[in-house]
Amino acid sequence: MAKAYVFFNSLAGNGASFDEVKAELCKTVSDQEVFCDVNDGYRDVISSLDADDYLVICGGDGTLNRFINEIDGMEFDNDVLYFASGNGNDFARDIGKENREAPYSIKEHICDLPVVTVNGKSYRFLNGVGYGIDGYCCQVGDELKKIPGKKVDYTAIAIKGLLFHYKPANARVVIDGVENHYRKVWIAPTMHGRFYGGGMMPTPAQDRTQRGKLSIMIWHGSGKLRTLMAFPSLFKGEHLKHTKYIDVCEGSEITVEFDRPTALQIDGETVLGVTSYTARARVLAEMK
């Protein structure tokens, strides 16, 4: 009999109850379930799977990010299913799935993923790499999560950051060898999917199924009040009408360099003190 090895992240979904999520999951999985702690790692379990066994990754975008990076380089035939129970669930949103929908296969989506190199270390990513106010929001959110019982409101963090705390940087952006310079850059994400940050859509035309292509949006040159007023339009992709301040470009290799260290996020996972990153579509990354 096939076994479903369910990897559960108790920190996903703003601390959603394990028992609550488990009860929902058990309604949709008919095979024998073996519950595993994501903190114990995936490799040993994958190495011991029988041919009919499969994985169920239960959590959010951060859980998926840790999974794809831990298994990087592994080859196995077992299927990988996903049960979205996180907070943002941008990957699920991008492929047309609902939060806590019955587990579905994501095997095709975790192949040929792009790679971002930050501070000398490389990571695969599913959704996007955020650099600027989005990285700042993740940094502040991580600090607030350390406070017992504290709820994290990323919208409030962004508003306060835009008005008072976050200072835009000057940037050098290189796309497939073509270099441009920007002043007062608020945000410069490179995207593999369309969504990140809980539904923001910086590059609405980006298609994760199109091999070898990434998209970047550079928001630059606007004052803090204008930026604050236009910021909500990111959730509908309507920010693109602000052509004076918004540039969207496509490429296979994208480098962004700020003139001061800034927090960066990769699928919601924060990296501090970053001055530059380089994102490469997987087909190009394999040639490097």
Side-chain angles (χ1 to χ4, degrees):
M1 179 180 179
K3 293 181 180 178
Y5 286 80
V6 180
F7 282 87
F8 183 85
N9 179 11
S10 61
L11 299 180
N14 276 339
S17 164
F18 172 83
D19 291 334
E20 175 189 337
V21 175
K22 181 179 177 180
E24 292 187 30
L25 185 61
C26 288
K27 294 177 184 177
T28 61
V29 177
S30 58
D31 295 306
Q32 181 181 348
E33 296 159 326
V34 180
F35 285 89
C36 307
D37 189 336
V38 296
N39 297 312
D40 291 337
Y42 300 94
R43 285 181 169 263
D44 288 344
V45 171
I46 292 174
S47 298
S48 65
L49 294 178
D50 292 332
D52 294 334
D53 296 339
Y54 56 95
L55 306 181
V56 180
I57 310 301
C58 182
D61 295 307
T63 301
L64 280 178
N65 179 272
R66 290 189 291 274
F67 171 70
I68 62 175
N69 279 286
E70 185 168 334
I71 67 164
D72 194 17
M74 289 191 74
E75 294 185 5
F76 57 96
D77 295 326
N78 305 81
D79 203 358
V80 179
L81 277 60
Y82 180 49
F83 183 73
S85 59
N87 188 36
N89 296 315
D90 288 304
F91 168 74
R93 180 181 289 108
D94 195 35
I95 63 173
K97 299 294 185 178
E98 299 291 334
N99 187 30
R100 301 193 183 183
E101 185 172 327
Y104 45 88
S105 177
I106 59 170
K107 197 74 180 286
E108 65 176 307
H109 295 292
I110 60 176
C111 300
D112 301 321
L113 289 171
V115 175
V116 60
T117 301
V118 182
N119 294 343
K121 187 174 180 180
S122 294
Y123 310 83
R124 297 204 294 171
F125 63 98
L126 268 172
N127 300 323
V129 179
Y131 196 29
I133 188 68
D134 45 4
Y136 163 83
C137 289
C138 287
Q139 178 184 3
V140 175
D142 288 348
E143 292 299 317
L144 292 176
K145 288 176 183 177
K146 298 176 183 178
I147 304 174
K150 184 71 173 181
K151 281 197 171 184
V152 180
D153 185 339
Y154 286 101
T155 301
I157 295 171
I159 292 172
K160 292 178 182 177
L162 287 167
L163 286 175
F164 307 112
H165 305 299
Y166 181 78
K167 307 299 180 186
N170 298 322
R172 169 180 169 266
V173 179
V174 183
I175 304 172
D176 292 342
V178 178
E179 181 174 325
N180 286 287
H181 294 262
Y182 297 88
R183 296 185 60 81
K184 289 184 67 175
V185 174
W186 292 96
I187 187 171
T190 293
M191 304 296 296
H192 173 56
R194 289 176 297 163
F195 298 99
Y196 82 149
M200 289 191 294
M201 191 166 37
T203 57
Q206 173 62 21
D207 181 357
R208 68 171 60 243
T209 66
Q210 187 171 342
R211 182 177 173 88
K213 188 195 82 169
L214 301 171
S215 298
I216 181 172
M217 185 214 40
I218 306 104
W219 190 318
H220 62 96
S222 57
K224 61 174 62 178
L225 289 178
R226 185 182 294 274
T227 304
L228 179 62
M229 290 175 62
F231 200 79
S233 63
L234 272 169
F235 288 92
K236 294 185 177 180
E238 296 176 352
H239 60 293
L240 298 184
K241 66 184 179 182
H242 302 286
T243 56
K244 184 177 179 180
Y245 308 110
I246 305 290
D247 286 2
V248 175
C249 306
E250 297 177 354
S252 295
E253 178 172 326
I254 298 172
T255 295
V256 180
E257 180 180 337
F258 278 6
D259 63 356
R260 62 174 177 80
T262 305
L264 172 146
Q265 63 87 15
I266 306 169
D267 292 339
E269 300 296 293
T270 312
V271 183
L272 301 178
V274 177
T275 55
S276 68
Y277 75 82
T278 297
R280 298 183 179 93
R282 187 66 171 190
V283 63
L284 181 61
E286 290 171 349
M287 298 169 60
K288 293 292 181 177

